[in-house]
DNA sequence: AGCACGCCGACT
DNA sequence: GTCGGCGTGCTC
């Protein structure tokens, strides 16, 4: 006799982070299932909130009076048992609220929208009634749309019971539907009807003729009206007379309408075959096993993905493929669609909420058995998963940097284990964590050491910019790079130039006193934007005029310092006026689809030089590119983070892979001020193994991941003192309970200690084994709830991708 | 989150 | 004296 539902309510706080019991009213007794969304009354005002049913029971340990569930929002569960238990895993492992985990797993459209509705009571003042309720019986209360005066007046009316507030939970999930017209009678019946229609009814006769046509097929109502001019009224009559049936069907917004030509599996090289066989064997035996597929750019990893996915599909299972957002290009998607056709669903950030929901529904209904997508696609509602692929597994974008701070790789491994399916982590430059696990035998390591078609790796040279500066005037281009560019342009070949912008920007500095223009809200320098002729803050968007005299010493020698893509572009135009340059950075790719358009233009040789930031390092494949230049390799080395060498190595290796992918030999020139640095030297020889060994040694010596686990705790507050006080208190608490082998770094102000007028402090705990740490941190969070009201916020980030 | 309750300052 | 500030506790 189940009658009590356990509901996680949509109130993301520590105190409400557990299921609440609600009575299931008899009317809903047979309807409510675990995994459905419901509307419940919550709190004193019984405001309506959305909730998720996570259990059904016939008793509750709650002593008080139970409320009833108000309504069910779904006809069938939106979360199956797997995803529900995944939500729990997420919440637990990332210190997030269960409801936040659930929201993350569900598509945006299934998140509730709340509206406050104001209704006048009979005691309302006549003036107020005239002002607010003259035209409508109630009004939607939206603080952003009303003036401050109106808001305070309405609140006063509320206090004096002249109006009442009710809450409406709105379901945003609307599958796009269309009305279709179906014939509901046989031809002879229709003929009989035709005879009965009165003489003047031209429209009705026309419709009947149409329906009697042997070629008549079910047609959408708008299409019918459009092509025949038959009116809606006529159709209504026809429906009443029983000639037709009008039905609402779900249609899909198709973001990739074009058909993709089918492709066949490509022949495999020996190592690829070995990999495919090893992975297929696990699929065949329904066994969970993680693989590290390590292969240089151009070694044919994608073909291994496609053929193993095909294996899973063949076995009647489904396949999930994750790629970084930036690699999710139409070329990439088309490669998968070429193999799996209509079975493919694509999930990426460019889709509208509605489109995402449509794809989600297709997957859920089993219409799409192959899913390709970026980070959040790891939650795709696939059942019976046969294989999970994660390409470029080292990419830091797989980790979400807001709560829940999950890493898609961890989720992929969790789901692989749940479904007893292999998980393939692919990369040319695996993260140290993954490579180390392969070393330990936790993952099976598969290596693709050769480029297909026996292309040679590009020839990489390193230019010492210190010498350049000594010998020449200040320039972004060394003489060697410039000579190479000219040579390639003469041969009508193309060049890719990368400006490493990580931790770097073009700011304004006074040459006399060293003053740097800073953001008043955040602890970073303002960046110069020549397109808008202003100084902008990249964190809060603050914008001000470019200074002509130094605000500190009144000198006129306040100049740009550092390099932005715009400045490099200007210099290029100056030195090589005949070269056609395409600039690709955040500014030129902000608009949807701009990224793709630029690349397409470059692919069709509409430009000679592609100049961009790190976004050009990924996944582009232009056979005519024979030179890749890295203008400033070391800016990412200067970042005070334990992963800065790893990042730099990965970036340089990856961008080098862009050169010479066809029959033409590629050349790479890396400009740096630290030519001896191991990350740069080893990127030059493309020697991942040596880099791995060396970096592991360093990590071991200084007790960093992957030798130690790390967890980052951050406090923020409106004043620096409050943030500091908060973090020191937590530090003290943690130190008391920590075992001797664990290490606490800090507390320290964060590298960027002030963002949007809030101050940030952090501390890092490095540990090997600390079974009680989870509970301790849970307690810290509990306590922070009390102080949270006064403005101190605490956030916990397990396994941070950086310590910054 | 949002609401009520409860305790202190400045007004009709 | 009350109105209303926001600090605190609680929501099945």
């Amino acid at each position: 006799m189940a009658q009590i539902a356990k509901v996680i309510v949509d109130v993301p706080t520590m105190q409400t982070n557990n299921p609440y019991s609600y009575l299931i009213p008899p009317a809903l007794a047979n309807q409510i299932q675990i995994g459905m969304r419901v509307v419940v009354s919550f709190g004193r005002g019984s405001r309506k909130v959305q909730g998720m049913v996570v259990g059904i029971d016939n008793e509750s340990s709650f002593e008080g009076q139970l409320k009833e569930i108000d309504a069910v929002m779904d006809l069938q569960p939106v979360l199956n048992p797997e995803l529900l238990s995944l939500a729990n895993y997420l919440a637990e492992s990332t210190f997030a609220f269960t409801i936040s985990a659930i929201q993350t797993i569900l598509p945006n459209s299934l998140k509730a929208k709340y509206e406050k509705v104001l209704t006048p009571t009979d005691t309302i003042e006549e003036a107020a009634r005239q002002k607010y309720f003259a035209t409508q019986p109630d009004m939607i209360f939206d603080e952003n749309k009303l003036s401050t005066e109106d808001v305070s007046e309405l609140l006063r009316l509320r206090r004096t019971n002249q109006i009442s507030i009710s809450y409406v939970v709105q379901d945003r999930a609307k599958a796009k539907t269309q009305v279709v017209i179906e014939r509901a009678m046989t031809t002879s019946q229709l003929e009989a009807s035709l005879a009965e229609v009165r003489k003047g009814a031209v429209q009705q006769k026309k419709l009947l003729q149409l329906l009697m046509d042997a070629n008549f097929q079910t047609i959408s109502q708008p299409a019918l009206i459009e092509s025949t001019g038959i009116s809606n009224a006529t159709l209504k009559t026809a429906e009443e007379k029983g000639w037709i049936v009008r039905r609402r069907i779900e249609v899909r917004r198709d973001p990739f309408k074009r058909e993709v030509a089918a492709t066949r599996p490509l022949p495999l090289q020996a190592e690829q075959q070995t990999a495919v066989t090893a992975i297929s064997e696990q699929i065949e035996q329904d066994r969970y096993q993680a693989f590290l597929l390590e292969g240089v750019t151009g070694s044919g990893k994608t073909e291994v993905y496609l053929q193993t996915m095909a294996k899973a599909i063949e076995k009647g299972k489904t396949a999930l493929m994750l790629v970084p957002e930036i690699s999710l290009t139409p070329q990439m998607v088309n490669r998968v669609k070429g193999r799996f056709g209509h079975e493919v669903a694509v999930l990426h950030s460019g889709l509208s909420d509605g489109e995402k929901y449509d794809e989600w529904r297709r997957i859920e209904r089993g219409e799409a058995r192959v899913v390709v997508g970026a980070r959040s696609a790891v939650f795709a509602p696939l059942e019976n998963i046969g294989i999970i692929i994660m390409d470029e597994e080292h990419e830091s974008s797989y980790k979400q940097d807001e709560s829940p701070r999950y890493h898609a790789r961890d989720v992929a491994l969790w789901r692989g284990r749940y479904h007893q399916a292999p998980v393939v982590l692919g990369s040319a430059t695996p993260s140290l964590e993954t490579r180390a696990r392969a070393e330990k035998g936790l993952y099976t390591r598969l290596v693709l050491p050769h480029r297909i078609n026996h292309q040679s790796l590009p020839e990489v040279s390193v230019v010492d910019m210190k010498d350049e500066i000594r010998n020449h005037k200040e320039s972004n281009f060394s003489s060697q790079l410039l000579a190479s560019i000219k040579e390639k342009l003469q041969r009508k070949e193309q060049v890719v130039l990368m400006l490493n912008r990580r931790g770097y920007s073009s700011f304004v500095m006074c040459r006399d006193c060293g003053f740097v223009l800073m953001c008043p809200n955040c602890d970073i320098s303002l960046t110069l934007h020549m397109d808008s002729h202003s100084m902008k803050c990249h964190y809060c968007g603050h914008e001000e005029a470019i200074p002509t005299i130094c605000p500190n010493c009144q000198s006129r020698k306040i100049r740009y310092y550092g390099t932005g893509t715009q400045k490099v572009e200007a210099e290029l135009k100056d030195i090589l006026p005949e070269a056609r340059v395409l600039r690709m950075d955040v500014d030129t790719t902000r608009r949807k689809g701009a990224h793709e358009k630029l690349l397409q233009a470059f692919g069709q040789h509409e430009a000679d030089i592609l100049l961009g930031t790190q976004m050009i390092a990924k996944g582009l494949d232009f056979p005519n590119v024979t030179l890749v230049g890295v203008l400033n390799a070391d800016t990412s080395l200067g970042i005070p983070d334990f992963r800065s060498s790893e990042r730099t190595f990965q970036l340089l290796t990856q961008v080098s892979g862009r050169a010479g992918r066809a029959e033409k030999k590629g050349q790479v020139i890396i400009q740096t001020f630290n030519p001896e640095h191991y990350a740069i030297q080893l990127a030059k020889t493309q020697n991942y193994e040596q880099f791995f060994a060396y970096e592991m040694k360093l990590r071991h010596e200084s007790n960093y991941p992957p030798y130690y686990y790390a967890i980052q705790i951050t406090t923020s507050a409106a004043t620096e003192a409050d943030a500091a006080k908060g973090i020191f208190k937590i530090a003290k608490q943690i130190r008391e309970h920590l075992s001797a082998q664990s290490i606490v770094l800090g507390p320290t102000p964060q590298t960027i200690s002030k963002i949007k007028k809030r101050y940030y402090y952090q501390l890092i705990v490095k540990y090997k084994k600390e079974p009680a740490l989870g509970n301790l941190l849970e307690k810290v969070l509990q306590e922070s709830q009390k102080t949270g009201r006064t403005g101190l916020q605490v956030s916990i980030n397990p396994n941070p991708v950086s310590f910054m």
Side-chain angles (χ1 to χ4, degrees):
Chain A
M1 243 283 267
Q3 65 225 304
I4 292 173
K6 310 286 176 174
V7 178
I8 303 272
V9 291
D10 182 15
V11 181
T13 66
M14 209 72 220
Q15 298 99 310
T16 51
N17 194 25
N18 45 42
Y20 280 68
S21 299
Y22 281 89
L23 291 169
I24 299 175
L28 301 176
N30 303 318
Q31 260 188 75
I32 289 185
Q33 292 171 44
I34 292 173
M36 284 180 174
R37 296 170 305 147
V38 289
V39 178
V40 294
S41 299
F42 192 69
R44 272 175 262 253
S46 279
R47 80 191 155 102
K48 304 280 182 274
V49 297
Q50 194 182 70
M52 173 62 64
V53 179
V54 295
I56 292 172
D57 207 342
N58 45 24
E59 54 179 19
S60 164
S61 55
F62 183 66
E63 307 277 297
Q65 179 70 46
L66 297 185
K67 288 181 182 173
E68 280 191 350
I69 285 177
D70 283 285
V72 197
M73 295 177 77
D74 299 305
L75 291 170
Q76 47 184 4
V78 291
L79 281 184
N80 60 29
E82 186 216 348
L83 294 177
L84 217 43
S85 99
L86 177 56
N88 286 325
Y89 160 75
L90 262 194
E92 220 171 276
S93 60
T94 67
F95 298 92
F97 306 122
T98 310
I99 193 65
S100 312
I102 289 170
Q103 311 267 34
T104 307
I105 292 173
L106 288 175
N108 258 340
S109 303
L110 297 181
K111 215 188 278 176
K113 205 178 113 200
Y114 298 102
E115 263 172 8
K116 293 182 191 181
V117 180
L118 305 181
T119 2
T121 64
D122 29 357
T123 61
I124 191 164
E125 295 159 4
E126 195 48 35
R129 181 189 290 278
Q130 285 300 323
K131 189 168 174 196
Y132 297 108
F133 301 103
T135 54
Q136 289 214 316
D138 51 28
M139 69 181 287
I140 292 165
F141 182 69
D142 183 347
E143 283 190 48
N144 304 317
K145 277 193 185 162
L146 294 164
S147 68
T148 342
E149 296 82 61
D150 281 343
V151 169
S152 58
E153 187 177 1
L154 287 165
L155 287 176
R156 183 185 62 82
L157 292 168
R158 165 77 227 287
R159 268 195 307 277
T160 51
N161 284 325
Q162 296 185 53
I163 51 178
S164 63
I165 295 186
S166 55
Y167 292 83
V168 181
V169 180
Q170 219 134 59
D171 192 357
R172 296 191 296 148
K174 284 196 178 67
K176 191 177 169 191
T177 61
Q178 206 171 44
V179 176
V180 292
I181 308 287
E182 273 172 8
R183 185 166 66 182
M185 283 182 172
T186 62
T187 313
S188 53
Q189 283 174 313
L190 289 169
E191 259 167 32
S193 302
L194 185 60
E196 285 167 22
V197 175
R198 68 179 167 80
K199 275 202 192 95
V202 190
Q203 292 260 309
Q204 290 188 32
K205 284 186 180 167
K206 193 165 148 195
L207 177 62
L208 281 169
Q209 296 289 358
L210 211 71
L211 291 169
M212 282 154 60
D213 189 326
N215 292 326
F216 181 82
Q217 279 180 349
T218 302
I219 181 172
S220 86
Q221 179 166 302
L224 183 80
I225 292 173
E226 160 98 21
S227 63
T228 62
I230 291 171
S231 71
N232 197 1
T234 309
L235 292 172
K236 201 174 157 204
T237 312
E239 190 174 26
E240 279 161 10
K241 292 190 176 174
W243 305 343
I244 59 165
V245 177
R246 289 200 283 188
R247 227 157 40 85
R248 221 165 232 296
I249 61 158
E250 203 172 302
V251 291
R252 186 162 78 88
R253 288 159 271 226
D254 190 352
F256 291 94
K257 280 218 180 67
R258 293 155 291 160
E259 281 293 315
V260 177
T263 57
R264 325 219 84 244
L266 304 174
L268 298 175
Q269 288 191 320
E271 291 97 356
Q272 283 176 305
Q273 187 58 61
T274 310
V276 169
T277 310
I279 298 163
S280 301
E281 210 168 280
Q282 304 302 312
I283 298 174
E284 209 54 62
Q285 297 179 17
D286 298 313
R287 227 169 29 210
Y288 162 74
Q289 172 65 49
F291 290 92
L292 164 58
L293 181 63
E294 200 178 314
V296 295
T297 5
S299 60
K301 288 192 292 289
T302 309
E303 194 55 35
V304 174
Y305 301 154
L306 293 174
Q307 296 201 15
T308 49
M309 282 159 79
K311 195 82 190 177
I313 297 301
E314 218 172 85
K315 232 198 133 197
K317 300 203 166 195
T318 62
L320 174 58
M321 178 172 175
L322 303 166
V323 296
E325 182 72 48
I326 202 154
S327 316
L328 201 53
T329 57
Q331 294 98 298
M332 155 99 257
V333 170
N334 286 349
R335 265 193 90 175
V336 182
K337 284 199 170 172
R339 229 38 92 69
F340 302 103
H342 296 291
E343 299 247 56
V344 181
V346 183
L347 297 167
H348 64 87
S349 65
L351 300 178
S352 69
D353 282 352
E355 287 167 343
K356 260 186 215 152
Y357 178 61
D358 288 347
E359 289 295 83
W360 190 87
R361 287 271 295 149
R362 273 182 72 217
I363 300 163
E364 194 199 21
R365 285 194 302 245
E367 288 169 22
R369 296 198 295 152
V370 176
V371 173
V372 183
R375 183 178 61 220
S376 63
V378 77
F379 301 116
L382 285 169
E383 284 178 26
N384 197 16
I385 295 177
I387 187 169
I388 302 177
I389 310 265
M390 177 178 250
D391 192 27
E392 311 276 357
E393 69 81 37
H394 62 276
E395 264 298 307
S396 57
S397 64
Y398 279 126
K399 167 111 183 183
Q400 179 153 52
D401 53 14
E402 54 196 50
S403 174
R405 300 171 192 274
Y406 69 91
H407 199 299
R409 192 202 291 133
D410 299 331
V411 178
L413 292 168
W414 186 97
R415 295 194 79 181
R417 211 170 290 131
Y418 186 97
H419 289 274
Q420 287 300 301
V423 177
V424 181
L425 308 174
S427 177
T429 52
S431 64
L432 261 70
E433 282 85 344
T434 299
R435 181 62 184 77
R437 286 188 182 181
E439 193 79 22
K440 279 179 85 178
L442 264 69
Y443 303 163
T444 304
R445 182 161 169 251
L446 302 166
V447 185
L448 307 179
H450 307 296
R451 280 186 151 189
I452 37 182
N453 307 331
H454 303 286
Q455 299 159 6
S456 53
L457 283 166
E459 175 200 314
V460 184
S461 48
V462 173
V463 176
D464 188 347
M465 290 303 274
K466 291 195 295 268
D467 295 344
E468 285 294 319
I469 294 285
R470 235 171 276 139
N471 302 336
H472 305 277
K473 64 171 173 52
E474 219 172 296
S475 166
N476 288 304
F477 300 95
S478 60
S479 39
Q480 192 183 335
L481 178 57
L482 209 51
S484 279
I485 295 175
K486 283 181 184 159
E487 182 201 327
K488 305 297 175 196
L489 293 190
Q490 240 156 39
R491 282 201 260 151
K492 301 265 177 277
E493 291 170 359
Q494 286 174 294
V495 176
V496 167
L497 294 177
M498 188 183 76
L499 185 67
N500 189 357
R501 285 270 307 239
R502 210 183 272 280
Y504 201 69
S505 60
S506 52
F507 52 98
V508 160
M509 189 172 91
C510 173
R511 304 272 158 125
D512 282 340
C513 73
F515 174 85
V516 173
L517 198 59
M518 305 287 283
C519 173
N521 308 321
C522 311
D523 185 28
I524 63 164
S525 53
L526 294 175
T527 305
L528 179 72
H529 280 251
M530 282 316 284
D531 47 0
S532 57
H533 286 279
S534 64
M535 306 295 301
K536 278 187 198 163
C537 171
H538 280 192
Y539 281 84
C540 73
H542 170 86
E543 197 170 348
E544 59 184 75
I546 304 171
T548 49
I549 50 168
C550 172
N552 188 43
C553 71
Q554 271 68 45
S555 159
R556 294 199 157 271
K557 285 194 185 156
I558 183 158
R559 297 280 150 75
Y560 324 132
Y561 204 84
T563 294
T565 42
Q566 293 172 27
K567 215 187 137 199
V568 176
E569 187 185 21
E571 194 186 338
L572 262 177
K573 283 219 170 99
D574 201 34
I575 317 173
L576 300 164
E578 69 286 354
R580 294 167 299 166
V581 181
L582 210 56
R583 178 164 64 92
M584 194 158 105
D585 56 24
V586 252
D587 292 324
T588 60
T589 54
R590 190 158 306 154
R591 273 175 307 118
K592 214 165 264 181
H595 185 254
E596 183 197 325
K597 257 194 208 129
L598 282 174
L599 290 179
Q600 206 172 355
F602 189 65
Q604 289 162 1
H605 207 155
E606 286 167 27
D608 307 303
I609 300 175
L610 178 66
L611 166 67
T613 50
Q614 20 279 20
M615 64 175 73
I616 61 171
K618 310 252 152 54
L620 41 111
D621 186 4
F622 300 118
N624 200 34
V625 171
T626 51
L627 171 65
V628 168
V630 180
L631 298 176
N632 52 345
D634 15 42
T635 51
S636 53
L637 278 180
I639 296 171
D641 188 67
F642 76 98
R643 243 184 269 263
S644 68
S645 294
E646 184 183 350
R647 287 271 162 67
T648 305
F649 178 83
Q650 285 165 346
L651 186 63
L652 294 178
T653 307
Q654 213 140 58
V655 77
S656 299
R658 302 297 133 224
R661 295 200 65 171
E663 61 290 333
K664 294 171 189 159
K665 170 120 176 133
Q667 189 188 355
V668 177
I669 296 177
I670 298 173
Q671 300 188 157
T672 173
F673 288 95
N674 300 294
E676 321 74 25
H677 194 284
Y678 67 97
I680 289 176
Q681 281 302 319
L682 294 172
K684 178 183 168 180
T685 50
Q686 307 259 311
N687 195 332
Y688 176 80
E689 277 309 303
Q690 212 180 327
F691 174 79
F692 171 70
Y694 190 81
E695 182 73 16
M696 282 297 272
K697 200 177 108 227
L698 293 183
R699 301 278 180 96
H700 186 57
E701 281 165 7
S702 36
N703 302 329
Y704 275 121
Y707 287 99
Y708 273 71
Y709 292 109
I711 195 156
Q712 180 188 40
I713 302 153
T714 311
T715 58
S716 77
T719 70
E720 193 170 0
D722 285 349
K725 223 188 286 170
I727 198 78
F728 276 100
K729 200 183 145 205
I730 293 169
K732 183 167 174 279
Q733 218 173 332
I734 288 177
R735 282 211 176 90
E736 278 167 11
H737 294 87
L738 232 44
S739 67
Q741 305 100 301
S742 298
I743 303 158
V744 177
L745 297 184
T748 52
Q750 283 203 339
T751 315
I752 297 157
S753 67
K754 188 186 174 196
I755 300 171
K756 294 185 186 172
K757 290 186 176 170
R758 286 187 74 82
Y759 292 84
Y760 289 82
Y761 269 73
Q762 69 167 28
L763 98 95
I764 308 267
V765 183
K766 294 193 291 184
Y767 63 98
K768 282 206 156 162
K769 213 176 162 194
E770 207 65 72
L773 187 61
N775 284 332
L776 180 62
L777 291 174
E778 200 65 47
K779 224 175 80 195
V780 167
L781 275 185
Q782 293 272 8
E783 279 168 31
S784 80
Q785 248 333 99
K786 294 181 199 127
T787 53
R789 215 59 84 80
T790 55
L792 184 78
Q793 279 171 20
V794 179
S795 80
I796 295 178
N797 187 6
N799 309 316
V801 286
S802 87
F803 285 177
M804 291 184 58

